[in-house]
Amino acid sequence: MQKKLFKIMFIVLAIFLIGTTIPFNASAASLETTGAVKNEYTYEEAVFLSGTPVIFKGTSKDIKIAQKESKGKLTETYSMKLTASNGATLTRNIAYESDVVDYAVLGQKTSNGEVKKYTEKITIGAITYSLVDYQFSQGTVTDNRAASDYYSGNIISRKTYAFETGKGKNAVQNTVTIETDSRHAGYENFWGATETQITESVYSYSDGKTSHVKNRLSTSKSRVLNYEENLGSLGSFEGGYAVVSEKDVISEYTYDLSSGQKGTLDLDTEYMPTIERLIIPKFRDLTTHYAKEAIEKLYSLGIYSDSSNFFSPNTPMKRIDFTTAIGKAVDLRVFEEKKSKKTPTTSVFKDLKRSIKDYGYIESALNKGIIKGVSADYFKPDNAITRAQAATIFVRALGLENRAPDPGYLTRFTDDKQIPNYARDGIYIANELGLMIGDSAGRFNPNKPLTRAEASVVLERFLKYLEDDLKQNYRDDILFFN
């Protein structure tokens, strides 16, 4: 789980494994709490009912999943038939329904659901465990921010199985009840998605014995940006970037069973990576520049779209160019306007024409609360972006403005008194996250313009935060401390 410092990690929208499915446009929620792992073809989960860990496996042909969302209700159905190496079998059918409520004014969604149908039969050796009762409740809240959605939820459930031991006159009817408490948290954005789930289960047998099982499950999908050298030394370019899409699932069970068995069991899987080559930057004024790598990565990813061979790294970054770059970095939804009588003809700012190339990103950023004009009517698109403005935009995009201390606090910078009131929270949080730091004298220089090179470096840090830092927090930190 160590950071790969030689890579920039990016993630696309995740479609998680069975048990951690996140439907598009619905609140994320983990339906199952089995700790199962899955890739394109195989599925595995561990079962502890018999007092011995049994790993059940299946393939894509053994598992059927259907999802339907209509009028605020999300319906999911699962059907699976699994087998174990010792001949054990598992069949399971689930019908789950949740109500998704969109609080658009708050930028939040809630999802609260229940199981409409759950049947299960597990045969291990001569004993068959039949599910006779299942109670389930789930709730998730999602905070939809411009750069990332953050969510957290809980599941509680109770399963009761009936099983028979002995034969004939010595047959004994038994039950085992599994009470489960599960918590999950995750984030999802254009570049990244990770969900981690911590589940604790207590097994209570009718003979008075108990088992305890804890599962830690984490799913992540990443796009890794690698530099690939050109094999031909006489070609028109030295190399370029390629995006390798990767997905992995890790699951760890810790168990203390009624049979006296104790230990840990790890399941993990990876998906087949895919590769995509990106366009090649050909700037002629970056050869020895400190920001060369950051600029070329942003260009290859399409965040910059300069057509000139000269990037002019030491000139000021314009407000319109920085806002457009942020919009592309967080994948703000920009739709091409269809000509109609209802199409708006006026711009959101008087000094910005709707006909300019990237107008859609400016309008979307304004509507999402990422940017504001220098006044209600003017944006000043060609003015240089200042460090204070950049810090504020980063934090608004992340939706972390409210993580600053209560009003009246001082930042750690020696020029704290020069920080504009509107930017104080943004500067404080951007510095805490490592997105922007002060100079060697401890000054933040809030009113200093950012050069195109400086803006590129902080934009690269912003993207690293969306993957590396969020992933570490939502995977490594949760798994380590829980």
Side-chain angles (χ1 to χ4, degrees):
M1 296 183 180
Q2 294 180 344
K3 286 187 177 180
K4 300 179 180 179
L5 298 179
F6 59 95
K7 294 179 179 179
I8 294 183
M9 304 286 287
F10 301 108
I11 305 180
V12 295
L13 290 173
I15 303 177
F16 288 100
L17 76 159
I18 294 176
T20 55
T21 301
I22 297 183
F24 186 66
N25 282 338
S27 289
S30 296
L31 170 58
E32 265 291 8
T33 54
T34 61
V37 301
K38 177 185 177 292
N39 62 19
E40 307 96 326
Y41 185 63
T42 63
Y43 174 98
E44 291 182 283
E45 72 172 76
V47 172
F48 300 87
L49 280 171
S50 64
T52 297
V54 179
I55 299 176
F56 286 91
K57 299 181 179 182
T59 64
S60 56
K61 65 181 181 181
D62 304 312
I63 302 167
K64 296 179 181 179
I65 306 172
Q67 294 183 353
K68 181 181 179 181
E69 185 180 2
S70 176
K71 298 180 180 180
K73 286 191 178 293
L74 175 68
T75 302
E76 302 174 73
T77 58
Y78 298 80
S79 177
M80 59 184 70
K81 295 181 179 180
L82 310 175
T83 58
S85 59
N86 63 359
T89 61
L90 182 155
T91 60
R92 180 186 297 147
N93 293 281
I94 310 172
Y96 172 82
E97 186 177 275
S98 61
D99 293 312
V100 180
V101 182
D102 188 353
Y103 298 90
V105 175
L106 301 175
Q108 298 179 12
K109 291 182 181 180
T110 60
S111 171
N112 298 285
E114 60 182 353
V115 168
K116 294 297 185 180
K117 176 184 177 182
Y118 197 124
T119 62
E120 188 174 70
K121 184 174 289 186
I122 302 171
T123 300
I124 302 174
I127 300 178
T128 296
Y129 301 84
S130 299
L131 186 69
V132 294
D133 183 62
Y134 185 64
Q135 304 298 323
F136 173 96
S137 182
Q138 171 270 329
T140 298
V141 61
T142 302
D143 194 19
N144 303 115
R145 300 295 92 190
S148 189
D149 295 342
Y150 309 90
Y151 61 90
S152 177
N154 302 75
I155 293 174
I156 53 175
S157 68
R158 186 183 69 223
K159 289 183 179 182
T160 300
Y161 297 85
F163 63 100
E164 183 179 275
T165 55
K167 294 183 179 180
K169 295 181 179 180
N170 296 321
V172 178
Q173 301 300 319
N174 305 276
T175 61
V176 55
T177 298
I178 306 174
E179 294 186 81
T180 296
D181 187 348
S182 182
R183 297 164 294 151
H184 62 272
Y187 68 91
E188 179 178 356
N189 56 54
F190 180 69
W191 301 106
T194 295
E195 178 179 294
T196 298
Q197 183 181 57
I198 307 295
T199 302
E200 298 185 71
S201 300
V202 178
Y203 296 57
S204 300
Y205 294 83
S206 53
D207 63 2
K209 294 181 179 179
T210 60
S211 294
H212 298 266
V213 178
K214 184 173 183 177
N215 176 255
R216 298 175 176 88
L217 174 71
S218 187
T219 306
S220 213
K221 188 173 182 180
S222 306
R223 296 179 68 203
V224 183
L225 188 66
N226 291 329
Y227 183 80
E228 303 288 344
E229 291 186 358
N230 190 345
L231 294 177
S233 61
L234 298 180
S236 61
F237 61 95
E238 295 181 353
Y241 288 96
V243 172
V244 180
S245 297
E246 302 175 334
K247 180 179 178 182
D248 67 272
V249 188
I250 57 176
S251 181
E252 179 193 71
Y253 300 90
T254 303
Y255 57 89
D256 183 355
L257 306 181
S258 60
S259 61
Q261 294 190 42
K262 298 180 181 181
T264 59
L265 174 64
D266 294 322
L267 298 179
D268 58 75
T269 190
E270 294 181 352
Y271 282 63
M272 173 68 186
T274 60
I275 190 167
E276 175 191 2
R277 288 301 296 258
L278 304 180
I279 58 175
I280 302 164
K282 292 187 176 181
F283 295 118
R284 296 177 57 189
D285 54 352
L286 300 177
T287 305
T288 60
H289 202 282
Y290 75 91
K292 179 178 186 294
E293 186 176 355
I295 293 167
E296 291 187 341
K297 287 174 181 175
L298 295 172
Y299 180 85
S300 293
L301 287 167
I303 294 173
Y304 289 154
S305 56
D306 297 63
S307 57
S308 170
N309 289 332
F310 296 92
F311 186 77
S312 303
N314 300 319
T315 60
M317 171 67 84
K318 295 180 180 180
R319 283 170 52 83
I320 188 171
D321 293 336
F322 187 81
T323 303
T324 300
I326 284 287
K328 292 180 178 180
V330 302
D331 191 40
L332 282 181
R333 288 178 160 241
V334 177
F335 298 99
E336 183 177 348
E337 291 183 348
K338 295 181 180 179
K339 293 183 179 180
S340 69
K341 294 181 180 180
K342 295 182 179 180
T343 301
T345 56
T346 59
S347 169
V348 292
F349 293 111
K350 291 182 178 179
D351 55 355
L352 204 64
K353 293 182 179 179
R354 295 187 68 89
S355 58
I356 65 171
K357 178 183 174 183
D358 293 314
Y359 173 83
Y361 286 104
I362 309 302
E363 184 177 53
S364 293
L366 178 68
N367 292 337
K368 289 285 187 179
I370 297 176
I371 64 163
K372 294 181 180 179
V374 296
S375 67
D377 296 324
Y378 293 93
F379 182 64
K380 297 294 182 182
D382 293 330
N383 280 15
I385 192 84
T386 67
R387 287 173 55 80
Q389 292 167 352
T392 302
I393 288 173
F394 282 136
V395 175
R396 285 176 183 161
L398 292 171
L400 299 180
E401 308 98 300
N402 295 329
R403 301 303 295 268
D406 291 339
Y409 67 90
L410 298 177
T411 67
R412 66 183 62 183
F413 300 107
T414 57
D415 55 353
D416 180 86
K417 292 182 179 180
Q418 297 180 25
I419 295 176
N421 288 333
Y422 78 86
R424 181 167 296 276
D425 290 348
I427 290 172
Y428 176 88
I429 296 169
N431 179 248
E432 289 293 308
L433 297 178
L435 297 178
M436 299 182 73
I437 59 177
D439 62 19
S440 58
R443 298 182 298 258
F444 187 79
N445 301 306
N447 300 311
K448 180 182 177 182
L450 275 178
T451 66
R452 286 168 61 80
E454 291 168 341
S456 300
V457 171
V458 294
L459 277 166
E460 183 190 23
R461 288 180 192 158
F462 178 69
L463 293 181
K464 284 183 177 180
Y465 173 83
L466 288 176
E467 165 34 354
D468 288 342
D469 294 0
L470 282 178
K471 182 177 180 180
Q472 178 177 340
N473 182 249
Y474 277 87
R475 170 172 278 189
D476 298 2
D477 292 353
I478 293 176
L479 293 176
F480 182 79
F481 292 109
N482 292 275

